[in-house]
């Protein structure tokens, strides 16, 4: 699977795919880490605009990236969460680790 | 329309991660005619994904085996059973605890069973070390009146 992403001096925006399960999460983990190291990323943004489904494997991957960014003194944000993804975030306590940016159209 | 007769489907597939999506798609298609809400369908999909992932990641940790998935619908009730003949769970009560994982190094969240319990009404786990695990889940759909 190919992931869409954008990098801008020190910042990386990953557009997460439609469904995030174990299979997808393990590929995202490798690709994100490679990009974080190669581009010396300090600010990581997960853009969930396209994501309709995520299970606990996605949670594991996000917690792992949040730790990695923590070690290197960086930050992690999540944007454009659907109601479903928001529910999964809340259930897993992710908002304590990752800043969830609320958009006006998502209220 | 609610079908009064019980219907059942079952499938077996190899424990490759690529098949997680396949299992979710089959269950989604099977339940479509019950006309569940988007949220209810997502709840069942998530629970199926968790159970199948457990079978693949933990049950068949170092090998490829067969995962069985059975889904029954009866009126507004949905029952899903996911089983494997893998290594089994040493301590089922601990496995149910939030954030407990035997694989922290693999970035497992330890939320699998919690998600199944959060999204389904009942979750029963039967496991024997060296013989495998079976997870039986039930959910009652709240279909709109008149359907």
């Amino acid at each position: 699977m190919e992931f869409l992403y954008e990098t801008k001096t020190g910042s990386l925006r990953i557009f997460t795919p439609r469904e995030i399960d174990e299979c997808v999460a393990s590929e995202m983990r490798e690709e994100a880490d490679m990009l974080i190291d190669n581009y010396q990323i300090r600010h990581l943004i997960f853009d969930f605009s396209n994501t309709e489904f995520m299970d606990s494997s996605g949670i594991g991957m996000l917690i792992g990236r949040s730790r990695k960014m923590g070690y290197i003194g960086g930050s992690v944000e999540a944007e454009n969460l659907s109601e479903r993804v928001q529910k999964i975030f809340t259930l897993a306590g992710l908002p304590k680790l990752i800043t969830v940016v609320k958009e006006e159209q998502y209220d | 329309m609610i079908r009064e007769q019980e219907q059942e489907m079952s499938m077996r597939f190899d424990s490759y991660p690529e098949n997680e999506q396949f299992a979710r798609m089959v269950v989604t298609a099977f339940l479509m005619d019950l006309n569940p809400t988007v949220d209810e369908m997502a709840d069942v999909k998530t629970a199926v994904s968790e159970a199948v992932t457990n079978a693949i990641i933990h049950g068949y940790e170092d090998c490829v085996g067969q995962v069985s998935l059975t889904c029954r619908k009866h009126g507004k009730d949905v029952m899903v059973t996911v089983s494997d003949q893998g290594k089994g769970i040493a301590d089922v009560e601990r496995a149910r605890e939030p954030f407990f994982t035997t694989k922290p190094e693999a970035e497992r969240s330890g939320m699998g069973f919690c998600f199944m319990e959060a999204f389904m009404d009942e979750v029963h786990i039967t496991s024997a070390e060296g013989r495998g695990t079976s997870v039986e889940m039930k959910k009652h759909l709240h279909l709109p009146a008149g359907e």
Side-chain angles (χ1 to χ4, degrees), chain B residues 27 31 40-49 78 80 120 139:
Chain B
V27 170
L31 298 178
E40 286 172 333
M41 189 67 106
D43 287 352
V44 177
K45 265 175 80 172
T46 310
V48 167
S49 201
V78 174
V80 183
M120 303 294 277
K139 189 175 182 70

Side-chain angles (χ1 to χ4, degrees), chain A:
Chain A
M1 178 174 276
E2 283 189 6
F3 302 103
L4 288 173
Y5 62 88
E6 277 171 8
T7 53
K8 241 183 263 174
T9 51
S11 117
L12 168 66
R13 175 180 291 266
I14 297 177
F15 295 90
T16 58
R18 199 171 65 84
E19 300 207 317
I20 308 175
D21 59 9
E22 160 53 24
C23 192
V24 172
S26 61
E27 289 180 42
M28 284 187 73
R29 178 177 296 139
E30 276 180 34
E31 183 135 356
D33 285 355
M34 188 266 288
L35 291 166
I36 291 166
D37 296 339
N38 287 0
Y39 292 97
Q40 299 176 345
I41 297 302
R42 289 294 173 270
H43 184 50
L44 174 61
I45 305 137
F46 287 100
D47 188 326
F48 283 89
S49 310
N50 303 319
T51 304
E52 294 164 14
F53 174 89
M54 180 169 76
D55 68 14
S56 72
S57 300
I59 300 292
M61 182 274 295
L62 291 169
I63 293 174
R65 303 294 68 65
S66 146
R67 286 210 183 112
K68 182 180 170 82
M69 293 306 288
Y71 293 142
I72 57 179
S75 61
V76 187
E77 273 178 19
E79 287 184 15
N80 300 319
L81 274 61
S82 66
E83 253 180 66
R84 185 70 200 176
V85 173
Q86 177 67 58
K87 191 173 172 181
I88 299 283
F89 261 62
T90 309
L91 199 56
L94 268 189
K96 281 185 221 147
L97 299 173
I98 294 174
T99 310
V100 177
V101 179
K102 299 249 192 237
E103 297 274 320
E104 275 165 35
Q105 67 262 38
Y106 295 93
D107 47 26

